[in-house]
Amino acid sequence: MSPGARIAAFVAVLVLVFGGAALAGGAIEPRGADPSAGNDDNMSGETHAEEGATDTAHAPDPVRGLAVAADDLRLVVDEPELRRGRSSDLRFRIVDTRGETLRDFDVTHEKRMHLILARRDLTGFQHLHPTQGADGSWSAPVRLDDAGSYRLFADFSHEDTPQTLATDLRVDGDTDLRPLPAPRPAAKSDGGYDVRVSAEGAHPGQEAELRFTITRDGAPVKTEPYLGAGGHLVALREGDLAFLHVHPTEQSRNTVGFGATFPTEGRYRLFLQFKHAGRVQTVAFTQEVS
Ligand SMILES: [Cu+2]
C-alpha cells in the first residue's frame, strides 16, 4: 500500500470510528438526558392505557419482535427445524445472561406466555399458549403444513416488563410463497363470520383506532371474552414482520376496537381473533399505512 493510500485508509477508519460513535451517542443521549425516557421500554402494555393517556410523549416502543435477545433475556428454541405436516413438540426457553432458564413470568392477557407463529409471507398464522415445564421451558404441539421460514414470537412479561422476542423456524421443502393480499375492508373468519375493519388515523407514528365489526349471516355478533378482552389483535409489518404493540380500547355491541401505532409507512397484516359460541375465530386483513 502506498503512503497516500495508507493515510486515506487511516482517515477512513477514523471516520468510521468517530462517525459510528457520534451516531451511537445521538441514539443513546436522549435516554441518558431524560431519566423517565429510559422507563418507556419497561412500560407494560397493561399500564399503557392509564399512563399513555397522561403522558403521550413517552409512548411504549411500538415495534417489537425483531430481536432474539433484549434486556439480558434470550429466546432459545431447542429444535428450530420442523418436519412438514407433522405435529411435533416445539420446545423453547427464555434464558438470562448466565444461561439460566427463566421460571417467573407475569400473567398478561390471562396467560404467562403467548406464542405467535407466522410464515415470512404472513400466511400460516397461529396463536398458541404453551405449557411450562418444571425446568421453566415452554412447549406446545405445533404442526406446520407448508414449507418455508417461519417467525416464532414469544410474547410475555417478566418483572413487569413486556417482551416480544423472536426467532426463525424452518420447514424444509418446496415453498409456495404468496403475495400479501390487497387491502380490503371485509374478510371472512376461518369459521365463516363476516368481519369489517375501519382504521382511523392509520398514519406513521400516530395511534390508529382499529375497529372490527362482526356479523354472521347478516346478524350482529357480540363476542365473548377472549384473553380478558373482546378480542385479540396481532399486527405484523410486511418485510421484517415487526410485531406491533396493540391494546384493546373498546367493545360495543358487535364491534371490538384496538389502539395501534404503525411506526412507518408500508403494509401490515392484522390478525384478529375473537370468541363466539365457545370457539376462537381468526380473520386477517391487510392494512396500508401512508
Ligand atoms: Cu396468547
Side-chain angles (χ1 to χ4, degrees):
M1 202 186 269
S2 75
R6 238 176 241 211
I7 287 166
F10 181 63
V11 168
V13 167
L14 280 182
V15 166
L16 278 176
V17 169
F18 287 98
L23 279 177
I28 291 162
E29 204 174 330
R31 247 180 221 189
D34 178 2
S36 70
N39 293 331
D40 285 352
D41 291 336
N42 296 340
M43 194 186 283
S44 81
E46 270 50 59
T47 59
H48 173 258
E50 298 91 60
E51 293 185 30
T54 54
D55 193 6
T56 48
H58 298 290
D61 186 348
V63 172
R64 301 178 191 170
L66 295 175
V68 72
D71 294 338
D72 294 336
L73 300 176
R74 173 176 288 274
L75 166 63
V76 179
V77 177
D78 282 7
E79 185 41 78
E81 180 114 32
L82 276 71
R83 296 274 296 279
R84 175 186 196 157
R86 285 265 183 93
S87 183
S88 61
D89 223 22
L90 181 72
R91 189 173 291 274
F92 64 96
R93 59 194 75 234
I94 309 298
V95 300
D96 62 19
T97 47
R98 293 167 303 154
E100 303 276 350
T101 300
L102 232 67
R103 288 155 191 267
D104 298 328
F105 295 83
D106 311 322
V107 172
T108 58
H109 306 293
E110 297 186 339
K111 302 284 179 184
R112 300 200 303 142
M113 179 62 73
H114 302 266
L115 172 61
I116 308 288
L117 295 168
R119 198 166 72 165
R120 279 283 178 186
D121 64 353
L122 290 164
T123 63
F125 174 87
Q126 294 189 41
H127 177 179
L128 307 168
H129 297 113
T131 52
Q132 194 176 27
D135 65 349
S137 69
W138 295 93
S139 69
V142 169
R143 182 183 155 145
L144 300 173
D145 286 330
D146 296 306
S149 178
Y150 286 77
R151 226 35 200 153
L152 177 161
F153 300 94
D155 192 40
F156 62 94
S157 172
H158 173 62
E159 291 176 348
D160 295 328
T161 304
Q163 302 281 357
T164 309
L165 302 180
T167 189
D168 286 347
L169 300 178
R170 300 181 300 276
V171 180
D172 201 16
D174 288 342
T175 305
D176 177 24
L177 294 175
R178 272 154 263 173
L180 197 67
R184 281 187 203 95
K188 246 185 186 16
S189 78
D190 45 2
Y193 291 75
D194 292 299
V195 183
R196 291 191 74 84
V197 66
S198 82
E200 260 172 51
H203 305 298
Q206 290 182 22
E207 176 153 303
E209 178 70 33
L210 305 170
R211 285 194 191 85
F212 300 90
T213 303
I214 303 157
T215 55
R216 192 181 199 185
D217 302 326
V221 170
K222 188 175 191 320
T223 64
E224 295 157 12
Y226 175 59
L227 300 173
H232 188 270
L233 184 69
V234 169
L236 301 175
R237 181 165 61 187
E238 183 187 32
D240 61 1
L241 271 60
F243 189 105
L244 270 55
H245 170 83
V246 169
H247 59 98
T249 52
E250 52 149 356
Q251 182 183 16
S252 58
R253 293 181 59 236
N254 61 329
T255 298
V256 286
F258 299 88
T261 302
F262 297 103
T264 57
E265 287 191 1
R267 295 195 299 173
Y268 296 78
R269 193 70 169 158
L270 309 177
F271 299 94
L272 172 72
Q273 294 187 292
F274 61 90
K275 199 168 178 181
H276 188 252
R279 286 194 53 189
V280 176
Q281 302 288 323
T282 302
V283 57
F285 295 89
T286 297
Q287 177 66 46
E288 192 123 41
V289 174
S290 56

